[in-house]
Amino acid sequence: MSYVIGVDLGTSAVKTVLVNREGKVAFEASESYPLFQPKAGYSEQNPEDWIEQTIVSLRKLLEVSGVQPSEIEGLSFSGQMHGLVLVDAAGKPLRNAILWNDTRTTAQCRRIEKVLDGKLLSIARNRALEGFTLPKILWVQENEPEVLQQAAVFLLPKDYVRYRLTGDYAMDYSDAAGTLLLDVAGKQWSQEIAEAFELPISLCPRLVESFEEVGTLLPEIADQTGLATATKVFAGGADNACGAIGAGILSEGQTMCSIGTSGVILSYEERKDLDFEGKVHFFNHGEKDAFYIMGVTLAAGYSLSWFKDTFAADKSFDVLLQGIDQVPAGSQGLLFTPYIVGERTPHPDANIRGSFIGMDAGHKLEHFGRAVMEGITFSLRESIDILRGSGKTVTEVISIGGGAKNEAWLQMQADIFNATIVKLESEQGPAMGAAMLAAYGCGWFSSLQACATAFLRPAKSYDPNPETVAVYDGLFALYQEVYGQTRSLNDRLAQYR
Ligand SMILES: Nc1ncnc2c1ncn2[C@@H]1O[C@H](COP(=O)(O)OP(=O)(O)O)[C@@H](O)[C@H]1O
Ligand SMILES: O=C(CO)[C@@H](O)[C@H](O)COP(=O)(O)O
């Protein structure tokens, strides 16, 4: 039997899947690593933690599966987007990685808008948001100039891991699109944007397609993981592009909901000249010359894990969520907004923070748990509404990520989105998408679409219940008011954080 491996470098953990020629996940492994928040709004990881845990995860995958290294033909990656890894001439990281959910860069976003004005949207096709990479590079330029001076190249998280596994620098278009330095439609680094901020273009690595073979494993990595040096390595893609591939979002009209640390509503797009005025992100897909649009909730799964860790640390997710289907839709008047690290879509606002509105003495832990899940899902509904408002029809949504593990949450998505929710056999969308890039790269299929047809199987679907849809429609209107009503309060509270 032959296999491919997908490595998903997430924010909470690295997940690896071993997939056979039929698309069956033969084995999966996961190793977590810490997130450092030295100040409010800061979010960093140590790139060395990614390397150590990726190696452990790959080794476990081989040991537990008993598969022979020679049976594994290829390996590819999916990675958390936007995170800045600056490396020196010897390939050593110069500081911790600054992650996608770090919001320290508001001043740099305003600088980008002032310097580039309308050019930003016409070239990079996205607004200046705190999470993107260029504002992070400018933050280092302004605050740690000695670090930027020593930098030979900047990489994104999974590109750094791939570099350590193969010894080569590269970045694929889908991940490069989230830097604000790429001419998204033209598929090349923007000299104009780099020059506007006095950044040498040599800082940008070689651009490749997600399914392109970029090397094989270094002997020391083969030694540590048990894999063969001949294993082909394919570039891989941004976790949302890979999630889309792993959910089969490969043609017009298909929509995905991903609840990982962040939350994403994503729709396939082949028209490169569409203008959403920056209301949603517009990025290159992992499929050649295709694109996708998406809206992002910064703290989706993260709101639930924050809630669990803070108020029910002794409980597993399954135990915490056990009683929530006994609580009626609307959590008996308790509303939550998931702005605990700021927000992106539809409110690009680093200062806004979350709220529980309507707390009553009768509310129990399960009301709060349900309200948190409803608030996260309402936030994602805002992105669904933007898609619908742009003329797209959303009647079916493929749901992936950690949030798709819970049945009640899947039904809640159906009722809040008023669409049928489909869960696939594996909710490991991004890791599966990475494995599919390797399978296609190895020549197992003539296209990613053909690979999706062979690999992806629906497990269950959840239809909206019209009565619950009506309840949620009413509550959603109230939810939408909370941002405006709490905005100025949060601006004034910011000084106390
Ligand atoms: N059993 C579960 N039920 C509901 N939600 C869960 C469960 N397990 C994990 N989650 C949610 O999924 C999130 C992690 O999703 P995952 O896709 O693994 O994230 P990432 O790729 O960002 O590391 C957690 O923050 C949590 O909110
Ligand atoms: O910033 C974005 C997308 O723009 C996030 O979606 C990151 O890519 C992190 O993803 P997860 O760790 O939640 O999968």
Side-chain angles (χ1 to χ4, degrees):
M1 192 54 146
S2 38
Y3 297 87
V4 284
I5 291 178
V7 178
D8 173 30
L9 191 77
T11 314
S12 59
V14 56
K15 294 142 218 162
T16 49
V17 291
L18 183 68
V19 178
N20 70 17
R21 276 201 177 243
E22 276 90 55
K24 276 257 173 235
V25 177
F27 288 94
E28 50 186 76
S30 172
E31 297 295 323
S32 56
Y33 28 70
L35 189 73
F36 304 111
Q37 287 160 319
K39 283 189 196 175
Y42 281 37
S43 178
E44 300 190 349
Q45 276 174 335
N46 178 356
E48 207 51 43
D49 290 341
W50 299 331
I51 307 299
E52 278 171 19
Q53 300 301 62
T54 302
I55 290 173
V56 171
S57 183
L58 287 170
R59 192 170 62 229
K60 282 193 182 160
L61 204 64
L62 248 89
E63 280 170 5
V64 178
S65 68
V67 162
Q68 291 305 308
S70 58
E71 292 176 283
I72 300 169
E73 283 190 32
L75 173 152
S76 191
F77 300 87
S78 151
Q80 47 164 303
M81 298 176 70
H82 318 297
L84 174 67
V85 187
L86 285 167
V87 299
D88 67 12
K92 216 169 147 291
L94 289 156
R95 68 178 322 291
N96 267 349
I98 308 180
L99 302 197
W100 61 276
N101 52 0
D102 185 299
T103 53
R104 75 182 75 172
T105 57
T106 305
Q108 290 71 32
C109 289
R110 300 296 84 80
R111 181 176 153 204
I112 293 170
E113 284 161 0
K114 199 164 162 221
V115 172
L116 293 176
D117 199 18
K119 277 189 192 150
L120 182 64
L121 268 185
S122 66
I123 301 173
R125 303 300 299 275
N126 289 283
R127 286 166 75 153
L129 297 177
E130 282 82 356
F132 292 172
T133 324
L134 176 61
K136 298 181 197 310
I137 298 177
L138 300 186
W139 185 90
V140 177
Q141 187 184 55
E142 290 170 26
N143 295 278
E144 298 172 354
E146 68 292 350
V147 169
L148 194 62
Q149 271 152 24
Q150 291 174 69
V153 70
F154 89 91
L155 295 169
L156 297 171
K158 64 119 182 40
D159 299 316
Y160 176 69
V161 173
R162 180 174 9 77
Y163 156 69
R164 287 285 298 272
L165 265 53
T166 63
D168 268 326
Y169 295 137
M171 193 182 289
D172 67 288
Y173 298 107
S174 71
D175 231 358
T179 64
L180 289 187
L181 278 159
L182 187 77
D183 170 350
V184 167
K187 291 176 77 174
Q188 57 186 345
W189 291 118
S190 168
Q191 192 87 38
E192 194 171 350
I193 296 181
E195 271 171 14
F197 300 100
E198 291 165 24
L199 298 171
I201 205 80
S202 57
L203 211 53
C204 304
R206 175 171 71 99
L207 286 165
V208 291
E209 295 286 352
S210 290
F211 47 82
E212 213 170 303
E213 187 179 335
V214 288
T216 48
L217 292 180
L218 291 168
E220 65 264 31
I221 299 295
D223 246 21
Q224 291 168 42
T225 56
L227 287 164
T229 47
T231 314
K232 292 176 184 163
V233 179
F234 300 90
D239 59 0
N240 290 299
C242 289
I245 295 169
I249 310 294
L250 289 161
S251 60
E252 192 59 50
Q254 294 180 308
T255 306
M256 171 186 98
C257 168
S258 160
I259 300 182
T261 304
S262 66
V264 161
I265 296 293
L266 179 153
S267 174
Y268 185 90
E269 191 54 74
E270 46 196 24
R271 294 161 296 177
K272 60 177 169 190
D273 45 3
L274 269 195
D275 183 9
F276 286 92
E277 296 158 354
K279 279 194 204 124
V280 279
H281 308 349
F282 184 85
F283 292 144
N284 306 71
H285 207 311
E287 189 185 52
K288 198 167 195 286
D289 298 333
F291 303 86
Y292 63 87
I293 52 173
M294 72 173 188
V296 176
T297 294
L298 271 191
Y302 185 57
S303 287
L304 189 65
S305 53
W306 158 80
F307 179 75
K308 184 180 98 57
D309 294 348
T310 311
F311 301 107
D314 55 328
K315 294 185 168 47
S316 68
F317 280 112
D318 290 340
V319 171
L320 173 71
L321 303 180
Q322 208 151 259
I324 63 129
D325 43 5
Q326 308 303 318
V327 177
S331 306
Q332 295 188 302
L334 185 62
L335 258 182
F336 171 74
T337 53
Y339 308 141
I340 59 171
V341 291
E343 191 48 303
R344 268 212 219 153
T345 315
H347 309 294
D349 184 344
N351 254 349
I352 193 72
R353 285 297 180 272
S355 333
F356 279 110
I357 310 271
M359 279 184 279
D360 180 272
H363 287 146
K364 304 264 186 315
L365 189 65
E366 52 270 29
H367 291 85
F368 282 86
R370 185 170 184 111
V372 169
M373 290 160 79
E374 288 175 340
I376 296 162
T377 319
F378 282 142
S379 166
L380 293 165
R381 157 85 183 261
E382 303 237 42
S383 293
I384 294 263
D385 281 4
I386 296 176
L387 295 191
R388 287 186 172 136
S390 77
K392 285 190 183 278
T393 306
V394 182
T395 49
E396 184 184 278
V397 177
I398 312 285
S399 191
I400 62 163
K405 287 184 182 158
N406 185 277
E407 293 256 323
W409 206 346
L410 290 160
Q411 184 59 48
M412 189 184 284
Q413 289 173 39
D415 294 333
I416 291 183
F417 301 159
N418 193 12
T420 299
I421 301 297
V422 179
K423 178 188 157 80
L424 301 175
E425 264 181 17
S426 163
E427 87 280 344
Q428 292 285 17
M432 175 56 94
M436 287 166 67
L437 285 168
Y440 172 51
C442 283
W444 291 6
F445 299 95
S446 58
S447 66
L448 278 171
Q449 182 70 65
C451 180
T453 308
F455 273 25
L456 306 178
R457 285 168 285 269
K460 199 166 170 190
S461 62
Y462 302 78
D463 289 320
N465 170 336
E467 280 169 30
T468 321
V469 169
V471 172
Y472 277 137
D473 273 347
L475 278 160
F476 179 59
L478 295 180
Y479 168 89
Q480 285 186 296
E481 281 187 36
V482 180
Y483 175 78
Q485 304 267 9
T486 57
R487 189 178 168 187
S488 132
L489 277 173
N490 277 299
D491 280 343
R492 283 180 280 152
L493 276 172
Q495 62 180 308
Y496 299 101
R497 261 176 228 147

